[in-house]
Amino acid sequence: MHPLIEKARREDRHLLEPEALGLLEEYGIVVPRHVAVHSEQEALAAARDLGFPVTMKIVSRHILHKTESGGVALDLRDEDGVKEAFSRLASVGGGEKKGDGFILYPFQAHEVELAMGMVRDAQFGPVMTFGLGGIWIEALRDLAYGIAPLSPEEAEEMLRSIRGRSLLEGLRGREPADRRALCEVLVRLSRMALEETAIREIDLNPVFPLSKGCFIADVRVVIR
């Protein structure tokens, strides 16, 4: 069992976002630059280091859905914006839902939101998912499924299977998505799901497809 998962189980919680990003990195999945902080001064220093604009999110063992809880601040363009966001996000994690700090990323502009993940099924084992993400995952349920471990060819078939596949092909002069990078994430995620049997659920949502690579904007790893 990976030490990060072992630690989370000892503390009877799921992985915190910085831990989940660290786990993805150890399985060779490219994640955005990020900095975990616990104070306003650390947040300002992280924003200067990452470069404006930045995104800041609360990290909390008690909050799985940060956007719905008001725990995300996007496109912070200067230090005043970081200070205001820090104050607001700190209030989200008050009381019994006291947070475990904050995390900052570079802000990534995007047009398409995808979702990748895994749900462990009692009969089939790790079932991998790919589809449109963000609000579209609930509105359209446009998802493809595969059984771990995935080959690159099986991952590519999942990309081809969703109804919104044309969004990956570069409509109206836009650059097409880097399909190889998306498949690579799915393949490596499926290997992680097979090896780390204590994981019940993985949710990468949203993932922004780019012309080179992809940007994993949020990750949730649920331990059983």
Side-chain angles (χ1 to χ4, degrees), residues 27-199:
Y27 277 87
I29 297 172
V30 178
V31 302
R33 289 182 65 204
H34 58 279
V35 182
V37 302
H38 291 84
S39 70
E40 182 182 279
Q41 289 306 309
E42 289 178 353
L44 289 168
R48 293 187 205 108
D49 181 56
L50 292 168
F52 291 98
V54 296
T55 292
M56 183 160 53
K57 297 189 286 185
I58 192 170
V59 176
S60 172
R61 66 191 66 196
H62 303 292
I63 300 175
L64 281 179
H65 301 287
K66 292 178 280 291
T67 300
E68 292 84 346
S69 301
V72 180
L74 301 171
D75 198 13
L76 305 176
R77 295 177 173 271
D78 52 33
E79 295 193 3
D80 286 342
V82 171
K83 290 178 182 177
E84 187 280 327
F86 186 91
S87 176
R88 180 167 57 82
L89 296 186
S91 69
V92 172
E96 294 181 353
K97 293 185 176 180
K98 185 174 177 57
D100 294 284
F102 306 85
I103 188 168
L104 285 87
Y105 295 84
F107 174 73
Q108 176 64 54
H110 62 280
E111 294 180 334
V112 176
E113 296 186 356
L114 301 174
M116 304 184 195
M118 182 280 292
V119 176
R120 195 172 299 278
D121 181 84
Q123 181 176 358
F124 298 105
V127 177
M128 310 307 298
T129 60
F130 172 82
L132 297 184
I135 63 170
W136 304 113
I137 194 168
E138 294 173 7
L140 301 177
R141 299 300 299 172
D142 187 7
L143 291 171
Y145 298 89
I147 305 297
L150 293 175
S151 67
E153 293 75 18
E154 289 169 328
E156 172 60 33
E157 180 58 32
M158 290 175 70
L159 266 61
R160 283 197 298 264
S161 298
I162 63 171
R163 300 193 301 277
R165 54 188 174 275
S166 60
L167 294 171
L168 304 178
E169 295 167 0
L171 296 173
R172 298 188 176 182
R174 298 184 178 94
E175 291 282 337
D178 185 343
R179 304 176 72 92
R180 179 176 293 185
L182 295 171
C183 290
E184 183 73 14
V185 173
L186 278 170
V187 168
R188 291 182 181 275
L189 203 62
S190 74
R191 290 175 184 162
M192 187 175 99
L194 270 185
E195 292 183 20
E196 304 295 347
T197 56
I199 296 177

